[in-house]
Each structure stands twice: as structure tokens, then as C-alpha cells.
Amino acid sequence: MATEKVGLQLLSREHGHVEVDEEEEEEEETDELKMETDQPGTEMTKKEIQIEEEKTELKIKKVETGQEIGKEPNRNLQDASSESPRGKHISIQRTLTDLEKLAGLKEGCRISTVSQNTDPHMAGNKKSCPLCPEDKFKACYAHKLHRHLQNLHWKVSVEFEGYRMCICYLPCRLVKPNVAGDQISIKMGAHFHCIICSATITRRTDMVGHVKRHVNKGETESRYSPAHVRKSTHEVVKEADTDVRVLPNYSTPQKTDSYFNPKMKLNRQLIVCALAVLAEERKPLECLDAFGATGIMGLQWAKHLGNSVKVTINDYNKNSVTMIHENCHLNKMKVVTSSKEEDDCDETLEEGEENFPTIDVTQMDANVIMYLRAFDFIHLDPFGSSVNYLDAAFRNVRNLGIVSVTSTDISSLYAKAQHVAQRHYGCNIVRTEYYKELAARMVVAAVARAAARCNKGIEVLFAVALEHFVLVEVRVLRGPSPADDTVKKIRYLIHCQWCEERVFKREGNMIEENPYRQLPCDCHSSMTGKTAVELGPLWSGSLFNPGFLRRMLFEAVQYGLDDIQTLLKTLICEAECTTHKQFSIHGPSSHNKQEECGVFIKTPDAAADYYIVHGKRKSNEMNQNGPKRHRLESNSEHPAFYYNIHRHSIKGMNMPKLNKFLHYLSEAGYRVSRTHFDPMGVRTDAPLVQFKSILVKYSTPTYLGGQSEGSVQALEDSQAGTEGDFTEESM
């Protein structure tokens, strides 16, 4: 009977039914126990009393744990106003008052766990922090708790869509074990709870970046559903009859996203034309897009060239490979993955679509696939510099194949980060007026060195440097002799920093006493100190192959690629160093064999009776000597580098129009053309002194009403001085 009374009293005390003080209850319990143990004939021993007391304590603990389990979900949920089926964490609130209300709710839930030795009236006024454990922040009065919530949790928070993700110290995230491997399970770390995906992140800056990534992906809903987001955020972009699915942040992607740049449309069309020219020489071609991303490059190859190419699209990122599969489905292509062919669409293919080639999609490092397999055409377009993949590209590329290299590290190539150019390309460069051509020659030099290490030589087909990229296409020539000839064309450049004159350093191993004598200018003798710098090593050979460019233009007209036709015409004029008025396009098939790279390449006989002049077709009988003249012009290389007409203009003088100035230079007996590197650039073999003299000769003075007589006299003196220099050099 005594033990039952003890258990009932303990249970009633725990549930709040007994209103007697603790000291009086303990005295009554001890008195009853003493009276029962002193009575004769009792069979209850002290051990049995202890066993009964332990049983009652277990019952009490079960009741307590049941109450705590029932209240535990409320700690990890938001306030009751949340309408989402799965509530947010309690650290995510709208206002500070909501956070203080949670503190009141938590104090009511924990009133039973307050120490029993304290005064209930004092304990009723104290509240505990809802976001901190008791060992970190003990229960305190309301004014102190308000300062704690405001200065710590509310101040150190991340705002998103009207909510504040406050810092949390609850045991939601375990601290990682230390270096020694000790398991830490009691100590917890501070962290934030993401409102979108419920992830826990320790640092505030990382939390801000995490939320920004959700916003870029379109995941701005309060509830995160990955499957729904993936379907709703994809966009379909069409380019050159090819549809690709891209993410909404394709212009500013993250590290794990697939990249699609619409500004690289010219780059993709140039590569398609180059591959089409190669496909006319031999079929079928095995071509590789080493960095597929969305797969648009390989899909365009398959769309335009059909069964004449075997396309392989590779990417190391798993998400990119998945997107490539989806884009193949979208364009009704067949995919081969791990030597297993599968139809990419459940619908039946139409009759015109049955001839589409299969696309091999692989997921591996670009260096690995280029070492394992041999290709006829390889395109490298990594994010930044491509020097890390050149050795693998030239290892197994077939003879007379083409390697296409696209470099987007513009800051280092255009001399904005010179130390990076020295680290990646091993070149010393400065910012000059011809910096774009300098970048192209620097990339070609890196490609040539990589090919020579594999006992291969190169012949540059074309090199294009535009605002966003530098594209280089080279043909591979196997053998040590082409490799030696290629290495000989890598030389240093002497650049005058005063007048911008430049010249390639002479070949030879002997050290010259005064290398300034190689420059045509006399700045070193007239100026004090050092006036020139040595740049390089750079590619000193030709950057264009006129025959290959003409065939590319023919393919661009055939496939309807209008965006690059103007650029290709400019490249042809630049390669032959002629003006647009003298421009004519001979049909790429007007002769059965065409000499390129020292090798005769067969071309088809179709359309041999016509050639194109400014978009018009005329009979071949009118120009029978066209192919012969074309071969003679292709053998002579174009002049290296160009001059900017505005850079060398005279102050107070109106320059002539650019086309007229080109005519004046050609009348003086110099080769001249425009360049795609600079819209106001002039490529010519005239020295800088003659260039300036002709520019001054045909320049007219501006309005002289507001000028003084001294400035007019200075202009006349400068013009007379340049004319005198020109007459002396001509004599």
C-alpha cells in the first residue's frame, strides 16, 4: 500500500494535481514508510520497496517522453499561419514579434522541465530562447530575451521574399569530427535553414550565394520540388534549324549548369563550314565536340552534313550529358551510349528523317577520349584557355585532319592580364594597336608547339579574333619534316613603344650587338633609353588559306548561312591582300585538284562551269585564267599585322575616307586590304613612315577660323617634314 501511494503521489505531482509543497510531501512519505516498516508481520522488505519505486520512475519517464514527443514537431515548424503542407523551420519568420511569440510558446512547453527547486512565481517570468539550447542560453527575463533575439538571431539573418532566415543553434546540424577522428555528437554548430530546399548552411555569405543560385535557376517558390522545377524552367532556343533546351540562366550559368552562349553563333557557323569543306574531301568523317554543354555544335553538324559525318559529343558533367540526350530527343536523333543504340523518340520517324546519323554521347574527360580514339576533326571549346588539351588533341588526330581551337580567355589574350598569358602560353605581350592579331598569333604558336611535340606540323587555315573569342583552325601534317618547318615559323617580335613599328626578329642563334637596327624606325637613335620591347614567341607565318576560305564561302552560300558570308569575304580579301572592289569568288570546284598545305586535294566537279561574282553567276569562258591567277596569289603570304588609321592621324587634319586611302596606298605600289581584326585597320606591306606620309598628303586641314596662326604654321611644317622624308626614302 505504501508503494502504491508513493507512485500515485509522484504521478499526481508530475501532472499538477497535488498542491502541497515538496518538503511536506517528503516528510509524509518518510513517516508512512517508517510506520509500515516498524509494524510486526510485514513482508515488505527494503529491496522490494526500491524495486517498486524504480517501476514508478520508469512510468513517469514514459509519460514525460510521450509529452515531449508530441510537442517535438512544433519546434521544427513555423507558426500556425503557414499554409504550406510541410511547414518551415522555426528560424524562418516574417517579423521579430513572431520570433518572440515562439519564445513564449516554448516557455509554456518547457514549464514542466524547470528546476523543481526554484520558485514557481520566479520561473513563470523567465523565458528560454527558441533557437538556442539551454546549455548555451539559459532562461531569462523578457527584456533580456528581447535583446538576445534582436541582436543575435534577427540581426544575423538572410532576407528572402519577406522572410528572415535567422541563425539557429539547435541540434539540427552536427559538427563534423575533428582531424583525429573523434566523434562529436553533443556540441552543435550555428547554421541557417534554407527556405526553399531546407538545406542547412553554416556561413551567412554561403547562404546568400545559395539563395542566389536558387533564384538563377527559377526556384523561387517557398516549397522546393526538384521534378517540377526541372520541367518548368527549361527554354527551347532555335539556331540554324536546330532546337536546344537550355536553362533560364544560360547566359550566366553556375559551375554545375550547361552553358549556351548565343553570341558564339558566328563561331559555330564558321566551324560548320570548315567541317563541310573537309567532308567534301573524304567520307565519312569522325568528328568530336570535346565540350558538348547543350550539344548544339554536334547537332548542327548532324543536321547539315547528315550521314557524311559520325558525330561524337562528349562532356564530363552529368547534367550536361542528360541535357544532350534531351536535345537529341528534341531533334529526333539517334543516340549511341556505351555501344548500345536506342531510338530517341517514341514516335515513328518520317521518311525524310530516317537518314539522320547516329550521335555518340560520352561522359569522360576530354583528354581521355582524345587519347583513346582517333578522329578526323576535333573541336576544343573549353571555358577559358585550351592549352591543357592540345597535347591530347594532336596525339591521335588523323593525317590531313583539322583541329579547331576556340579560346575565350580574352583577358589574358588581349594583354589585360599579362601574367596569365605568361603562365598559360609562355608569351610576353603588351597592349598594342594590333592586339587582336597578336592574340591570334599567340594561340597559333601554342598549337604549333603542341603539334611539334607529337611529330606533327600544321598549316593554318584561318584565325579569327573577335570580341568574345579567338578561333584557330589548323590542318595536321604528319611527319618530322613538317614539324621542323612549323617550329621555324615561331619567332620573337621587336615592337617599338614610341611609333608602334614592329618587325619579326631575324632567324639565327647568333646574338646581335644592337637588335634595334632591325626596326625600320630611328626612334632608338633620336630618343634616350630603351625604346623597344621583345614580344613572343609568336607565329610568324600566314594566318589564312585563301583556297580553303573560298570553299568555306561556297558552303556557306549552299547551306544558307548568311551571317558569316560578309566575314568570309573580308577574310578572303585579307588573305590575298586585295580590296573589296577586286574581290571575286571562283567556284571551289572549278579545277579537279587544288593545292593546299603542299598537298593536292581533290574537289568535286559539280558547278565547274560557273563562278560567282558579287552573288551573280557568269560563264567560265569569260575568265579562263581565273584559277591560274588564284594559285599564284595563294602562294604569296599576306603582310603581317596592320595599322589603325585613327591611331596615326594628325591632329587638326581631316583624314580621307578609308576606301579612298586604300586606293591611294595601292596607287603608290603597296599591297593593301582591310582586316577583320579592326574595322579601321589597314593591312599593308608599306612601312610606317610611308603610311604616315601618304595619310598626311591626302588629309585636309579642318576649319581654321578658331585656330591661331601658330597652329596652322605647325601643321604646314609637319606636312612638309613628312613629304621631305618620303622623297629622301624614294630616292
Side-chain angles (χ1 to χ4, degrees):
M1 294 296 293
T3 55
E4 293 178 358
K5 289 181 180 180
V6 172
L8 291 173
Q9 289 176 357
L10 289 173
L11 287 171
S12 61
R13 184 191 309 165
E14 201 57 43
H15 290 282
H17 298 294
V18 181
E19 298 179 356
V20 186
D21 294 336
E22 294 176 2
E23 296 180 356
E24 296 178 357
E25 291 176 357
E26 291 179 358
E27 290 177 358
E28 291 179 359
E29 290 174 4
T30 53
D31 293 339
E32 291 178 358
L33 289 172
K34 286 181 181 179
M35 291 174 63
E36 291 182 359
T37 52
D38 291 338
Q39 290 178 0
T42 59
E43 298 178 356
M44 187 68 66
T45 61
K46 293 182 179 181
K47 293 182 179 180
E48 292 177 351
I49 294 173
Q50 291 178 357
I51 293 171
E52 294 294 336
E53 289 178 354
E54 289 176 0
K55 291 181 180 180
T56 54
E57 288 178 359
L58 289 174
K59 293 180 181 180
I60 294 168
K61 288 181 179 179
K62 288 181 180 179
V63 174
E64 290 178 357
T65 54
Q67 292 176 355
E68 289 179 2
I69 291 171
K71 296 175 182 179
E72 185 67 24
N74 294 330
R75 293 179 59 187
N76 296 328
L77 296 179
Q78 199 194 1
D79 50 342
S81 61
S82 177
E83 298 178 357
S84 59
R86 181 182 176 182
K88 305 177 185 64
H89 194 266
I90 59 172
S91 62
I92 304 172
Q93 297 294 332
R94 288 187 178 273
T95 59
L96 181 60
T97 55
D98 295 338
L99 199 60
E100 292 177 350
K101 289 179 182 178
L102 282 178
L105 290 174
K106 188 169 185 179
E107 185 273 334
C109 297
R110 288 193 177 184
I111 192 170
S112 60
T113 60
V114 178
S115 178
Q116 296 178 359
N117 296 326
T118 58
D119 191 357
H121 300 287
M122 296 295 294
N125 296 329
K126 291 184 178 181
K127 297 181 180 180
S128 57
C129 178
L131 301 179
C132 296
E134 292 183 355
D135 57 350
K136 181 176 178 60
F137 186 81
K138 296 182 180 180
C140 60
Y141 293 104
H143 66 281
K144 188 176 180 180
L145 179 61
H146 175 75
R147 289 197 304 267
H148 170 75
L149 294 174
Q150 184 177 9
N151 297 332
L152 178 63
H153 297 285
W154 193 256
K155 190 174 182 180
V156 186
S157 61
V158 179
E159 187 175 0
F160 177 74
E161 291 185 354
Y163 285 94
R164 287 288 189 95
M165 292 170 277
C166 305
I167 190 169
C168 176
Y169 288 90
L170 294 176
C172 309
R173 180 187 178 95
L174 292 173
V175 177
K176 294 181 179 180
N178 54 15
V179 180
D182 299 334
Q183 298 293 331
I184 303 175
S185 58
I186 300 176
K187 185 179 178 181
M188 303 299 170
H191 55 274
F192 295 88
H193 292 267
C194 180
I195 190 175
I196 300 174
C197 63
S198 303
T200 55
I201 298 175
T202 55
R203 296 183 180 180
R204 186 178 183 276
T205 55
D206 296 342
M207 188 67 197
V208 173
H210 178 78
V211 173
K212 285 182 179 179
R213 284 192 290 272
H214 280 303
V215 174
N216 291 335
K217 293 181 180 180
E219 301 167 352
T220 58
E221 300 178 358
S222 59
R223 282 302 304 130
Y224 176 68
S225 53
H228 177 68
V229 170
R230 178 176 292 272
K231 292 181 181 179
S232 62
T233 57
H234 278 146
E235 298 179 4
V236 178
V237 179
K238 188 172 184 178
E239 180 181 301
D241 298 332
T242 305
D243 298 331
V244 289
R245 245 188 220 104
V246 296
L247 293 173
N249 63 331
Y250 61 87
S251 59
T252 57
Q254 303 297 327
K255 292 182 179 180
T256 58
D257 298 335
S258 297
Y259 187 44
F260 174 77
N261 190 1
K263 296 180 181 179
M264 300 288 284
K265 183 179 180 180
L266 287 176
N267 179 282
R268 288 186 281 268
Q269 291 186 359
L270 285 171
I271 295 169
V272 168
C273 291
L275 184 59
V277 172
L278 185 62
E280 294 293 333
E281 301 173 8
R282 45 182 167 174
K283 298 178 182 179
L285 287 178
E286 293 188 17
C287 48
L288 169 67
D289 183 11
F291 301 90
T294 58
I296 181 153
M297 182 77 74
L299 291 172
Q300 287 184 0
W301 297 348
K303 278 274 188 179
H304 288 92
L305 303 177
N307 290 324
S308 60
V309 293
K310 296 180 179 179
V311 181
T312 301
I313 305 177
N314 176 72
D315 202 285
Y316 188 72
N317 190 0
K318 185 178 180 181
N319 297 332
S320 298
V321 173
T322 304
M323 186 168 290
I324 292 170
H325 279 274
E326 293 177 357
N327 290 329
C328 291
H329 283 235
L330 187 62
N331 291 274
K332 299 180 180 180
M333 296 285 181
K334 295 181 180 180
V335 176
V336 176
T337 304
S338 300
S339 300
K340 293 181 181 179
E341 184 176 346
E342 60 179 4
D343 290 337
D344 282 357
C345 57
D346 297 333
E347 301 177 358
T348 58
L349 298 178
E350 298 178 1
E351 294 181 358
E353 298 174 349
E354 292 178 356
N355 296 325
F356 283 165
T358 59
I359 297 179
D360 188 5
V361 181
T362 59
Q363 181 185 356
M364 62 180 71
D365 188 80
N367 287 323
V368 175
I369 189 172
M370 287 187 290
Y371 272 115
L372 291 176
R373 296 172 55 183
F375 296 96
D376 299 291
F377 185 90
I378 297 176
H379 174 58
L380 300 177
D381 187 10
F383 187 79
S385 178
S386 58
V387 292
N388 297 328
Y389 307 96
L390 294 177
D391 291 336
F394 285 98
R395 179 63 61 182
N396 284 331
V397 64
R398 294 190 175 96
N399 189 26
L400 297 180
I402 293 178
V403 175
S404 172
V405 178
T406 300
S407 299
T408 56
D409 51 337
I410 300 301
S411 60
S412 60
L413 291 175
Y414 290 171
K416 295 180 181 179
Q418 301 175 9
H419 61 286
V420 181
Q422 181 69 33
R423 184 171 69 246
H424 287 173
Y425 300 94
C427 292
N428 177 33
I429 58 173
V430 295
R431 184 79 171 189
T432 61
E433 64 173 335
Y434 51 94
Y435 65 93
K436 287 188 177 181
E437 185 171 349
L438 205 66
R441 292 185 179 274
M442 186 165 54
V443 175
V444 175
V447 173
R449 287 194 297 267
R453 285 192 291 268
C454 301
N455 284 334
K456 295 181 177 69
I458 64 168
E459 186 71 21
V460 182
L461 301 177
F462 66 90
V464 177
L466 298 179
E467 183 181 358
H468 307 287
F469 64 90
V470 175
L471 174 62
V472 173
E473 298 259 357
V474 298
R475 191 186 291 273
V476 181
L477 307 175
R478 281 192 174 183
S481 297
D484 295 338
D485 296 338
T486 299
V487 173
K488 290 179 182 178
K489 294 182 181 180
I490 301 176
R491 295 156 64 183
Y492 284 90
L493 181 74
I494 301 176
H495 170 79
C496 180
Q497 292 183 313
W498 285 97
C499 65
E500 298 275 350
E501 186 62 280
R502 78 289 301 211
V503 65
F504 278 107
K505 196 174 180 180
R506 296 192 189 101
E507 296 181 4
N509 298 325
M510 304 303 294
I511 300 175
E512 292 191 8
E513 183 179 357
N514 189 4
Y516 292 101
R517 295 177 181 176
Q518 299 183 21
L519 286 169
C521 63
D522 58 346
C523 297
H524 178 65
S525 59
S526 60
M527 301 290 181
T528 59
K530 298 180 179 180
T531 60
V533 293
E534 191 176 72
L535 307 180
L538 302 171
W539 176 258
S540 62
S542 176
L543 292 179
F544 309 102
N545 190 307
F548 191 85
L549 289 172
R550 289 179 182 277
R551 296 162 65 192
M552 284 181 61
L553 181 57
F554 181 79
E555 299 294 340
V557 173
Q558 183 178 359
Y559 289 109
L561 303 177
D562 300 332
D563 297 333
I564 62 169
Q565 292 183 18
T566 304
L567 177 61
L568 287 174
K569 291 177 182 178
T570 304
L571 293 177
I572 294 171
C573 293
E574 189 174 0
E576 298 177 350
C577 204
T578 57
T579 58
H580 281 280
K581 291 183 179 180
Q582 303 171 357
F583 173 74
S584 64
I585 307 174
H586 303 283
S589 306
S590 59
H591 46 284
N592 292 335
K593 292 184 179 180
Q594 183 178 3
E595 186 178 359
E596 288 183 8
C597 317
V599 179
F600 284 99
I601 299 171
K602 294 182 180 181
T603 56
D605 295 332
D609 298 333
Y610 298 93
Y611 79 103
I612 307 170
V613 178
H614 297 292
K616 298 180 181 179
R617 295 183 179 270
K618 294 184 180 180
S619 173
N620 194 25
E621 298 176 356
M622 298 175 60
N623 291 281
Q624 296 179 356
N625 298 326
K628 295 181 180 179
R629 183 168 60 252
H630 159 63
R631 181 176 297 184
L632 292 174
E633 291 175 356
S634 63
N635 292 334
S636 59
E637 293 185 359
H638 60 82
F641 301 109
Y642 56 90
Y643 301 103
N644 187 289
I645 189 173
H646 285 289
R647 192 76 170 260
H648 301 285
S649 61
I650 307 300
K651 186 177 181 181
M653 303 286 287
N654 287 331
M655 298 180 303
K657 297 295 183 180
L658 185 58
N659 292 331
K660 289 184 178 181
F661 181 68
L662 296 178
H663 178 67
Y664 297 147
L665 280 174
S666 61
E667 283 184 348
Y670 298 108
R671 300 176 62 193
V672 63
S673 70
R674 301 187 69 171
T675 176
H676 81 281
F677 292 112
D678 190 355
M680 298 304 297
V682 177
R683 184 180 295 278
T684 178
D685 57 350
L688 184 60
V689 177
Q690 280 79 4
F691 183 87
K692 286 184 176 180
S693 63
I694 296 175
L695 182 61
V696 173
K697 181 180 178 180
Y698 293 99
S699 297
T700 58
T702 55
Y703 177 68
L704 304 178
Q707 294 183 357
S708 61
E709 295 181 359
S711 60
V712 176
Q713 185 67 26
L715 290 173
E716 293 177 356
D717 294 341
S718 63
Q719 185 172 0
T722 53
E723 289 179 357
D725 296 338
F726 177 68
T727 54
E728 289 178 2
E729 292 186 3
S730 62
M731 292 174 62

